[in-house]
Amino acid sequence: MITRAGWGLAAASVLVYAVGAPFGYAQAAVLAVAGLAAVGASALWTLRGAGLDVRRELTPVKVTRGEPAVALLHVRNTGRRRHAGLVARDTCRGTSVTVEVPALARDTARTVSYRLPTRRRGETPVGPLLLDRTDPFGLARRSIAYGRTDLLLVRPRTVPLAPPHAGRRRHLDGLDSRSAPNGAISFNGLRDYVIGDDLRHVHWRSTARTGVLMVKELTDVNLPSTVTVLDTRHSSYDGDDEFELAVDVAASVACAVTRDRFPVRLLTGAGELLHAKGGPGETEEVLDRLAVVERSEQADAPLHALRRAGSGGALVLVSGTFAGLADAAAVRRRFDEVLFVRVGEPVEGGRPAAAGVTVIEVGDLAELAAAWPR
């Protein structure tokens, strides 16, 4: 592709010839031909093979919103000639990142790092990577695409919170999640025997009937469960920043529960997003699922999600408007503890209240950590 400087030289060459030729100036023709020849030679220069091996590496591939993410660009000169300095252009969520690659001698390699924008949560495509090859005079440029588009997952931010330990039945010695199911006493079903299972839990009648060793699966009825509902209606938030804070709040609550290996259901206006049962590694799954949640005009009101939420345990409803407080109050008798978190700037007229509902109003995550019940 001819650059702006190349087009300027070509136009100047034509202008010199047009002015000088009628007066018989032979030098005008020579200058015009030389200028056009320089532009043509520059274009041919950029057409030859680059002779480069280029590879991009993202580290990390999952990052918390606002934290640094780095791309490493590995470039090796596999050609026969020395490469002058190159300019690489990468694209991340509509933002162009320009990277200067130093000169490379034959069969040498360089690694260049550059920051990627992580202010927006979600799946962020990185690429395609374009390497600009220019002639020594800057008259022509050729952009060559390398590799494939990588995916950077920007996840919500969280703050440490105490899980809402609510349950209708409690042990006198306290709650215990890590001992379940070995320490549990409530029958939940049958499953195939796995090496390491306690032989005292073998269900011999089912084993004799099926011919397969079956064991009783026991659950702890005293495990506190939590239902977290995120209001995803577009009209519930004044802007993207408020919704991002709401997602951060929901992530903080759900992660507080899963870190202690307690069950949690995560609901949005589109339905159930996740049902974690208290197993290991579910905190990562919570963050991955919430990383791709978006507002929607078609999202249901929180009351529709609460109708499918069951009963018992704790309920945490997160919204950007106090209109959702009525939904939380409508189902307060079905839960042992109900918390309503409203995100955004304080509203005029003070904070409304509802019987049986703990109302928290936050403008950032620091306020959530300070106001959260302990």
Side-chain angles (χ1 to χ4, degrees):
M1 181 178 69
I2 307 300
T3 63
R4 184 174 300 178
W7 285 115
L9 178 58
S13 300
V14 174
L15 181 62
V16 167
Y17 179 77
V19 173
F23 298 97
Y25 291 116
Q27 294 86 347
V30 173
L31 292 175
V33 171
L36 294 175
V39 175
S42 299
L44 292 175
W45 174 280
T46 59
L47 290 178
R48 65 190 181 100
L52 294 174
D53 181 21
V54 182
R55 180 172 58 90
R56 185 210 301 114
E57 177 185 357
L58 302 184
T59 175
V61 294
K62 296 180 181 180
V63 64
T64 301
R65 182 169 65 90
E67 292 188 353
V70 177
L72 300 177
L73 193 61
H74 307 284
V75 184
R76 174 177 290 276
N77 183 4
T78 58
R80 298 180 180 180
R81 300 181 181 86
R82 181 179 184 274
H83 266 287
L86 302 171
V87 176
R89 289 181 292 121
D90 216 347
T91 304
C92 182
R93 198 184 279 272
T95 302
S96 181
V97 182
T98 302
V99 186
E100 294 186 0
V101 181
L104 291 173
R106 178 183 176 184
D107 199 27
T108 58
R110 290 287 185 91
T111 298
V112 183
S113 64
Y114 51 97
R115 294 278 296 269
L116 297 173
T118 60
R119 186 178 180 275
R120 293 281 303 278
R121 174 186 51 83
E123 289 183 337
T124 305
V126 181
L129 178 67
L130 300 177
L131 209 59
D132 290 341
R133 177 176 175 80
T134 59
D135 67 287
F137 302 103
L139 302 178
R141 181 178 65 244
R142 179 188 175 199
S143 297
I144 307 172
Y146 283 91
R148 54 183 174 82
T149 299
D150 295 318
L151 198 62
L152 174 67
L153 186 64
V154 182
R155 307 196 292 188
R157 298 182 298 134
T158 60
V159 290
L161 300 175
H165 288 175
R168 296 183 184 276
R169 300 170 58 187
R170 296 176 174 82
H171 286 301
L172 294 178
D173 295 333
L175 297 166
D176 185 8
S177 66
R178 299 184 186 276
S179 61
N182 291 334
I185 57 174
S186 298
F187 177 74
N188 188 52
L190 297 173
R191 60 173 175 82
D192 293 347
Y193 173 82
V194 178
I195 296 177
D197 285 338
D198 193 338
L199 293 177
R200 291 175 297 178
H201 295 161
V202 173
H203 195 265
W204 296 109
R205 287 187 179 180
S206 299
T207 299
R209 184 173 64 253
T210 62
V212 179
L213 199 59
M214 305 290 291
V215 296
K216 292 178 286 185
E217 187 175 47
L218 305 177
T219 59
D220 192 343
V221 296
N222 301 280
L223 281 178
S225 61
T226 302
V227 176
T228 302
V229 180
L230 174 62
D231 187 356
T232 55
R233 292 175 296 175
H234 200 277
S235 59
S236 297
Y237 303 92
D238 291 337
D240 291 336
D241 290 340
E242 280 194 4
F243 181 68
E244 291 301 318
L245 178 58
V247 176
D248 293 344
V249 171
S252 299
V253 174
C255 288
V257 178
T258 55
R259 286 192 185 104
D260 278 6
R261 303 283 183 88
F262 295 140
V264 61
R265 291 183 66 190
L266 193 55
L267 306 175
T268 69
E272 184 173 274
L273 189 66
L274 176 70
H275 187 183
K277 299 182 179 180
E282 289 181 327
T283 299
E284 295 295 312
E285 189 176 359
V286 167
L287 295 174
D288 290 347
R289 296 287 184 90
L290 283 173
V292 296
V293 169
E294 298 291 343
R295 289 191 292 170
S296 174
E297 296 286 357
Q298 290 76 35
D300 292 331
L303 186 60
H304 291 275
L306 293 172
R307 289 171 179 168
R308 304 187 296 268
S311 60
L315 167 67
V316 181
L317 174 57
V318 185
S319 178
T321 174
F322 279 116
L325 180 58
D327 294 344
V331 297
R332 67 185 185 277
R333 297 184 182 277
R334 289 165 41 192
F335 297 91
D336 302 317
E337 182 180 7
V338 178
L339 296 96
F340 177 82
V341 183
R342 187 258 173 188
V343 301
E345 297 294 330
V347 297
E348 297 182 1
R351 183 173 58 190
V357 180
T358 301
V359 180
I360 302 174
E361 191 172 10
V362 298
D364 55 41
L365 284 181
E367 293 181 7
L368 175 67
W372 190 254
R374 304 181 183 279

